[in-house]
Amino acid sequence: MQRPTATPSRARLQSSRQFLPRLPQPLLSQSWPSRGLFDSFRRDCLADVDTKPAYQNLRQKVDNFVSTHLDKQEWNPTMNKNQLRNGLRQSVVQSGMLEAGVDRIISQVVDPKLNHIFRPQIERAIHEFLAAQKKAAVPAPPPEPEGQDPPAPSQDTS
């Protein structure tokens, strides 16, 4: 089964790309990880997620779905638990409840923080990165030799 190409999650990802247009690769691969910027965003969101109604609703739906699915299974000791687990996982994914629930969670947890918390930190990091790049690109003036007196002005007595 193929996944649809224009899902709400993908649309949200595309709009975030407009928020963060093409960023220099060194910024993403070197600067931000060393600062822990994305880790702090992740921690900030995870601290909030379990208190939001969208998460609690999704968790309840998944719990009920799993219980109903398992009630339909006839247990015997020779069952392959991995096959049962994989079948359950496929059923949950195909139901579409995860994608819709995750979109609601993002709306309740990430979206409110995007413009007021994340964007200013990202913009500050970009400005610092670009300032460092600009500073590195400007050649430093040659150092003056140490221990030598500056040349005396010439006095022409002719």
Side-chain angles (χ1 to χ4, degrees), residues 38-72:
F38 290 123
D39 289 337
S40 72
F41 293 167
R42 189 178 306 113
R43 277 191 304 272
D44 195 16
C45 290
L46 287 175
D48 265 358
V49 76
D50 62 347
T51 63
K52 300 297 180 187
Y55 171 79
Q56 294 165 350
N57 186 15
L58 178 60
R59 183 178 175 140
Q60 185 176 13
K61 282 183 177 180
V62 171
D63 285 346
N64 290 340
F65 188 91
V66 169
S67 293
T68 302
H69 183 81
L70 291 177
D71 285 343
K72 294 177 184 176

Short mmCIF file of all heavy atoms in Angstrom, two decimals, residues 38-72:
data_model
loop_
_atom_site.label_atom_id
_atom_site.label_comp_id
_atom_site.label_asym_id
_atom_site.label_seq_id
_atom_site.Cartn_x
_atom_site.Cartn_y
_atom_site.Cartn_z
N PHE A 38 18.80 21.84 18.78
CA PHE A 38 17.67 20.96 18.50
C PHE A 38 17.35 20.08 19.71
O PHE A 38 16.18 19.77 19.95
CB PHE A 38 17.94 20.10 17.27
CG PHE A 38 17.94 20.89 15.99
CD1 PHE A 38 19.03 20.91 15.16
CD2 PHE A 38 16.83 21.64 15.63
CE1 PHE A 38 19.02 21.64 13.99
CE2 PHE A 38 16.81 22.38 14.45
CZ PHE A 38 17.91 22.38 13.63
N ASP A 39 18.36 19.72 20.48
CA ASP A 39 18.10 18.94 21.70
C ASP A 39 17.26 19.74 22.68
O ASP A 39 16.37 19.20 23.33
CB ASP A 39 19.41 18.51 22.36
CG ASP A 39 20.14 17.44 21.57
OD1 ASP A 39 19.47 16.73 20.79
OD2 ASP A 39 21.37 17.32 21.72
N SER A 40 17.54 21.03 22.79
CA SER A 40 16.74 21.85 23.71
C SER A 40 15.31 21.99 23.19
O SER A 40 14.36 21.98 23.97
CB SER A 40 17.38 23.23 23.91
OG SER A 40 17.25 24.04 22.77
N PHE A 41 15.12 22.10 21.86
CA PHE A 41 13.77 22.15 21.30
C PHE A 41 13.03 20.84 21.62
O PHE A 41 11.86 20.86 22.02
CB PHE A 41 13.80 22.32 19.78
CG PHE A 41 14.33 23.65 19.31
CD1 PHE A 41 14.65 23.83 17.98
CD2 PHE A 41 14.52 24.72 20.18
CE1 PHE A 41 15.13 25.06 17.52
CE2 PHE A 41 15.00 25.94 19.73
CZ PHE A 41 15.31 26.10 18.40
N ARG A 42 13.72 19.73 21.42
CA ARG A 42 13.11 18.41 21.66
C ARG A 42 12.72 18.27 23.13
O ARG A 42 11.60 17.86 23.45
CB ARG A 42 14.10 17.31 21.27
CG ARG A 42 13.52 15.92 21.28
CD ARG A 42 14.51 14.85 20.84
NE ARG A 42 15.10 15.13 19.55
CZ ARG A 42 16.39 15.43 19.35
NH1 ARG A 42 17.22 15.47 20.36
NH2 ARG A 42 16.85 15.66 18.15
N ARG A 43 13.62 18.64 24.04
CA ARG A 43 13.31 18.56 25.48
C ARG A 43 12.13 19.44 25.85
O ARG A 43 11.26 19.04 26.62
CB ARG A 43 14.53 18.95 26.30
CG ARG A 43 15.54 17.85 26.50
CD ARG A 43 16.58 18.24 27.55
NE ARG A 43 17.27 19.47 27.24
CZ ARG A 43 18.37 19.57 26.49
NH1 ARG A 43 18.91 18.48 25.99
NH2 ARG A 43 18.94 20.73 26.26
N ASP A 44 12.12 20.64 25.28
CA ASP A 44 11.04 21.59 25.57
C ASP A 44 9.69 21.02 25.14
O ASP A 44 8.70 21.13 25.87
CB ASP A 44 11.34 22.90 24.83
CG ASP A 44 10.51 24.06 25.32
OD1 ASP A 44 9.91 23.96 26.41
OD2 ASP A 44 10.46 25.08 24.61
N CYS A 45 9.64 20.41 23.98
CA CYS A 45 8.38 19.84 23.48
C CYS A 45 7.99 18.58 24.24
O CYS A 45 6.82 18.39 24.58
CB CYS A 45 8.48 19.54 21.99
SG CYS A 45 8.54 21.03 20.98
N LEU A 46 8.96 17.72 24.51
CA LEU A 46 8.64 16.47 25.22
C LEU A 46 8.17 16.73 26.64
O LEU A 46 7.37 15.96 27.18
CB LEU A 46 9.86 15.54 25.23
CG LEU A 46 10.16 14.88 23.89
CD1 LEU A 46 11.45 14.06 23.98
CD2 LEU A 46 9.01 14.00 23.44
N ALA A 47 8.63 17.82 27.25
CA ALA A 47 8.18 18.15 28.60
C ALA A 47 6.70 18.50 28.61
O ALA A 47 6.02 18.28 29.62
CB ALA A 47 9.00 19.32 29.14
N ASP A 48 6.18 18.99 27.50
CA ASP A 48 4.78 19.41 27.41
C ASP A 48 3.84 18.36 26.86
O ASP A 48 2.64 18.39 27.14
CB ASP A 48 4.68 20.60 26.45
CG ASP A 48 4.72 21.92 27.17
OD1 ASP A 48 4.79 21.91 28.40
OD2 ASP A 48 4.66 22.95 26.47
N VAL A 49 4.34 17.44 26.07
CA VAL A 49 3.47 16.61 25.23
C VAL A 49 2.46 15.79 26.03
O VAL A 49 1.29 15.71 25.66
CB VAL A 49 4.30 15.72 24.28
CG1 VAL A 49 4.91 14.55 24.99
CG2 VAL A 49 3.46 15.27 23.11
N ASP A 50 2.86 15.19 27.13
CA ASP A 50 1.93 14.29 27.83
C ASP A 50 0.83 15.02 28.61
O ASP A 50 -0.09 14.39 29.10
CB ASP A 50 2.68 13.30 28.72
CG ASP A 50 3.48 13.97 29.82
OD1 ASP A 50 3.67 15.19 29.76
OD2 ASP A 50 3.94 13.25 30.73
N THR A 51 0.92 16.33 28.68
CA THR A 51 -0.12 17.10 29.37
C THR A 51 -1.19 17.60 28.40
O THR A 51 -2.21 18.12 28.83
CB THR A 51 0.48 18.32 30.09
OG1 THR A 51 1.05 19.20 29.10
CG2 THR A 51 1.55 17.90 31.08
N LYS A 52 -0.97 17.45 27.12
CA LYS A 52 -1.89 17.99 26.12
C LYS A 52 -3.02 17.00 25.81
O LYS A 52 -2.79 15.79 25.75
CB LYS A 52 -1.14 18.33 24.82
CG LYS A 52 -0.06 19.37 24.99
CD LYS A 52 -0.62 20.68 25.44
CE LYS A 52 0.48 21.71 25.62
NZ LYS A 52 0.01 22.92 26.19
N PRO A 53 -4.22 17.52 25.58
CA PRO A 53 -5.36 16.65 25.27
C PRO A 53 -5.15 15.80 24.02
O PRO A 53 -5.62 14.65 23.97
CB PRO A 53 -6.53 17.62 25.07
CG PRO A 53 -6.11 18.90 25.69
CD PRO A 53 -4.61 18.91 25.70
N ALA A 54 -4.48 16.33 23.01
CA ALA A 54 -4.27 15.56 21.77
C ALA A 54 -3.47 14.30 22.05
O ALA A 54 -3.77 13.23 21.50
CB ALA A 54 -3.57 16.42 20.72
N TYR A 55 -2.45 14.39 22.90
CA TYR A 55 -1.64 13.21 23.23
C TYR A 55 -2.48 12.21 24.02
O TYR A 55 -2.46 11.01 23.74
CB TYR A 55 -0.41 13.62 24.04
CG TYR A 55 0.34 12.43 24.59
CD1 TYR A 55 1.19 11.69 23.79
CD2 TYR A 55 0.18 12.05 25.92
CE1 TYR A 55 1.86 10.59 24.29
CE2 TYR A 55 0.84 10.95 26.43
CZ TYR A 55 1.69 10.22 25.62
OH TYR A 55 2.34 9.14 26.11
N GLN A 56 -3.20 12.70 25.02
CA GLN A 56 -4.00 11.81 25.85
C GLN A 56 -5.08 11.12 25.02
O GLN A 56 -5.33 9.92 25.19
CB GLN A 56 -4.61 12.60 27.01
CG GLN A 56 -3.54 13.11 27.97
CD GLN A 56 -4.04 14.18 28.92
OE1 GLN A 56 -5.14 14.70 28.77
NE2 GLN A 56 -3.20 14.52 29.89
N ASN A 57 -5.67 11.86 24.09
CA ASN A 57 -6.69 11.29 23.20
C ASN A 57 -6.08 10.22 22.30
O ASN A 57 -6.65 9.13 22.13
CB ASN A 57 -7.32 12.42 22.39
CG ASN A 57 -8.49 11.96 21.55
OD1 ASN A 57 -9.03 10.88 21.73
ND2 ASN A 57 -8.87 12.79 20.60
N LEU A 58 -4.93 10.51 21.69
CA LEU A 58 -4.27 9.54 20.81
C LEU A 58 -3.88 8.29 21.60
O LEU A 58 -4.07 7.17 21.12
CB LEU A 58 -3.04 10.16 20.15
CG LEU A 58 -2.25 9.22 19.23
CD1 LEU A 58 -3.12 8.71 18.08
CD2 LEU A 58 -1.01 9.91 18.70
N ARG A 59 -3.34 8.48 22.77
CA ARG A 59 -2.94 7.32 23.57
C ARG A 59 -4.14 6.43 23.90
O ARG A 59 -4.06 5.20 23.79
CB ARG A 59 -2.27 7.80 24.86
CG ARG A 59 -1.77 6.66 25.68
CD ARG A 59 -1.07 7.12 26.92
NE ARG A 59 -0.73 5.96 27.70
CZ ARG A 59 0.38 5.80 28.34
NH1 ARG A 59 1.29 6.75 28.30
NH2 ARG A 59 0.62 4.72 29.02
N GLN A 60 -5.25 7.06 24.24
CA GLN A 60 -6.46 6.28 24.54
C GLN A 60 -6.96 5.54 23.29
O GLN A 60 -7.34 4.38 23.36
CB GLN A 60 -7.55 7.19 25.09
CG GLN A 60 -8.79 6.45 25.53
CD GLN A 60 -9.81 7.37 26.15
OE1 GLN A 60 -9.72 8.59 26.06
NE2 GLN A 60 -10.82 6.77 26.78
N LYS A 61 -6.94 6.22 22.14
CA LYS A 61 -7.37 5.57 20.90
C LYS A 61 -6.49 4.37 20.56
O LYS A 61 -6.99 3.31 20.17
CB LYS A 61 -7.33 6.56 19.73
CG LYS A 61 -8.49 7.51 19.68
CD LYS A 61 -8.38 8.40 18.45
CE LYS A 61 -9.56 9.33 18.33
NZ LYS A 61 -9.47 10.20 17.16
N VAL A 62 -5.18 4.55 20.68
CA VAL A 62 -4.26 3.46 20.37
C VAL A 62 -4.46 2.31 21.36
O VAL A 62 -4.51 1.14 20.96
CB VAL A 62 -2.79 3.94 20.36
CG1 VAL A 62 -1.83 2.78 20.26
CG2 VAL A 62 -2.57 4.91 19.21
N ASP A 63 -4.59 2.62 22.65
CA ASP A 63 -4.83 1.57 23.65
C ASP A 63 -6.10 0.78 23.33
O ASP A 63 -6.10 -0.46 23.37
CB ASP A 63 -4.94 2.17 25.05
CG ASP A 63 -3.60 2.59 25.62
OD1 ASP A 63 -2.55 2.21 25.06
OD2 ASP A 63 -3.60 3.32 26.64
N ASN A 64 -7.17 1.49 22.98
CA ASN A 64 -8.43 0.82 22.65
C ASN A 64 -8.28 -0.02 21.37
O ASN A 64 -8.79 -1.14 21.29
CB ASN A 64 -9.57 1.83 22.48
CG ASN A 64 -9.96 2.46 23.80
OD1 ASN A 64 -9.69 1.92 24.87
ND2 ASN A 64 -10.59 3.62 23.73
N PHE A 65 -7.59 0.52 20.39
CA PHE A 65 -7.38 -0.20 19.13
C PHE A 65 -6.60 -1.48 19.39
O PHE A 65 -6.95 -2.56 18.88
CB PHE A 65 -6.63 0.70 18.14
CG PHE A 65 -6.52 0.13 16.76
CD1 PHE A 65 -7.47 0.39 15.80
CD2 PHE A 65 -5.44 -0.68 16.42
CE1 PHE A 65 -7.37 -0.13 14.51
CE2 PHE A 65 -5.33 -1.22 15.14
CZ PHE A 65 -6.30 -0.95 14.19
N VAL A 66 -5.54 -1.40 20.18
CA VAL A 66 -4.71 -2.56 20.48
C VAL A 66 -5.52 -3.61 21.25
O VAL A 66 -5.48 -4.81 20.93
CB VAL A 66 -3.44 -2.15 21.27
CG1 VAL A 66 -2.72 -3.36 21.83
CG2 VAL A 66 -2.51 -1.34 20.38
N SER A 67 -6.29 -3.16 22.22
CA SER A 67 -7.12 -4.10 23.00
C SER A 67 -8.11 -4.82 22.10
O SER A 67 -8.28 -6.05 22.19
CB SER A 67 -7.86 -3.37 24.10
OG SER A 67 -6.96 -2.89 25.06
N THR A 68 -8.79 -4.08 21.23
CA THR A 68 -9.76 -4.68 20.32
C THR A 68 -9.08 -5.66 19.37
O THR A 68 -9.59 -6.77 19.14
CB THR A 68 -10.47 -3.57 19.50
OG1 THR A 68 -11.09 -2.67 20.41
CG2 THR A 68 -11.50 -4.15 18.57
N HIS A 69 -7.93 -5.26 18.84
CA HIS A 69 -7.18 -6.13 17.92
C HIS A 69 -6.77 -7.43 18.62
O HIS A 69 -6.92 -8.52 18.06
CB HIS A 69 -5.96 -5.39 17.39
CG HIS A 69 -5.17 -6.17 16.38
ND1 HIS A 69 -5.51 -6.25 15.06
CD2 HIS A 69 -4.04 -6.93 16.52
CE1 HIS A 69 -4.64 -7.01 14.42
NE2 HIS A 69 -3.74 -7.43 15.28
N LEU A 70 -6.27 -7.31 19.84
CA LEU A 70 -5.81 -8.50 20.55
C LEU A 70 -6.98 -9.38 20.99
O LEU A 70 -6.83 -10.60 21.08
CB LEU A 70 -4.95 -8.10 21.75
CG LEU A 70 -3.60 -7.48 21.39
CD1 LEU A 70 -2.86 -7.04 22.65
CD2 LEU A 70 -2.74 -8.42 20.57
N ASP A 71 -8.13 -8.75 21.27
CA ASP A 71 -9.30 -9.55 21.64
C ASP A 71 -9.76 -10.44 20.49
O ASP A 71 -10.34 -11.50 20.70
CB ASP A 71 -10.47 -8.64 22.07
CG ASP A 71 -10.26 -8.04 23.45
OD1 ASP A 71 -9.40 -8.57 24.20
OD2 ASP A 71 -10.94 -7.06 23.78
N LYS A 72 -9.51 -10.01 19.27
CA LYS A 72 -9.91 -10.77 18.09
C LYS A 72 -8.95 -11.93 17.80
O LYS A 72 -9.27 -12.81 17.00
CB LYS A 72 -9.97 -9.86 16.86
CG LYS A 72 -11.06 -8.82 16.93
CD LYS A 72 -11.01 -7.92 15.72
CE LYS A 72 -12.02 -6.80 15.81
NZ LYS A 72 -11.92 -5.87 14.68
#
